[in-house]
Amino acid sequence: EMQLGESGGGSVETGGSLRLSCTASGFNFADSDMGWYRQTPGNECELVSSIDQRGRAEYANSVKGRFVISRDNAENSMYLQMNSLKPEDTAFYYCVANVGFVAGYQYGGSCKMLLQYTYNARNQGTQVTVSS
């Protein structure tokens, strides 16, 4: 059974940095395209970044130049280094496997619903709060 778990969220001031981690088990991580979604307080669910099997990364325009996605296949882990954080980055962040969409994709519902019905996943996410 595929399992994903996020960590590393927290509260920072504008301009601060955080590094999110996603640990994976129960599937072939190295062969999976991975991604990070976020659910903002305004209920927007956006695919902010993805990384394919070869390590090629994509970013939504909203985070390009500030966030860096990476993966460690030996550790079955994916990371999101978030720099120059802004209040609009405040959100719950979720990791997914076999992402299937282009970075910047916005789902017209909650991320939890997307995870459950599209990715068959129920990971809890990690909260990021950026204060001004």
Side-chain angles (χ1 to χ4, degrees):
E1 179 184 356
M2 181 181 73
Q3 292 194 349
L4 296 165
E6 305 89 348
S7 62
S11 297
V12 297
E13 294 184 348
T14 296
S17 298
L18 285 172
R19 187 186 192 223
L20 306 185
S21 299
C22 172
T23 55
S25 63
F27 65 101
N28 191 336
F29 179 84
D31 287 345
S32 298
D33 297 338
M34 302 294 295
W36 287 98
Y37 279 93
R38 69 181 179 187
Q39 179 82 58
T40 64
N43 291 319
E44 177 184 280
C45 179
E46 178 184 35
L47 179 60
V48 295
S49 186
S50 64
I51 185 166
D52 72 6
Q53 304 168 38
R54 299 182 182 181
R56 293 175 297 193
E58 292 185 346
Y59 300 94
N61 288 335
S62 56
V63 306
K64 199 171 292 184
R66 300 187 298 120
F67 290 10
V68 178
I69 193 171
S70 61
R71 64 189 297 161
D72 184 340
N73 291 340
E75 296 293 329
N76 281 2
S77 294
M78 176 179 64
Y79 307 97
L80 188 67
Q81 177 67 42
M82 306 187 297
N83 303 317
S84 302
L85 283 162
K86 305 176 181 180
E88 50 263 44
D89 296 318
T90 294
F92 266 93
Y93 286 74
Y94 301 88
C95 61
V96 299
N98 303 313
V99 57
F101 294 98
V102 175
Y105 167 70
Q106 294 187 357
Y107 176 68
S110 72
C111 280
K112 283 209 164 187
M113 184 181 302
L114 177 69
L115 261 65
Q116 181 176 350
Y117 293 111
T118 300
Y119 297 103
N120 194 29
R122 295 180 182 270
N123 34 306
Q124 296 301 304
T126 188
Q127 185 169 14
V128 171
T129 303
V130 185
S131 59
S132 57

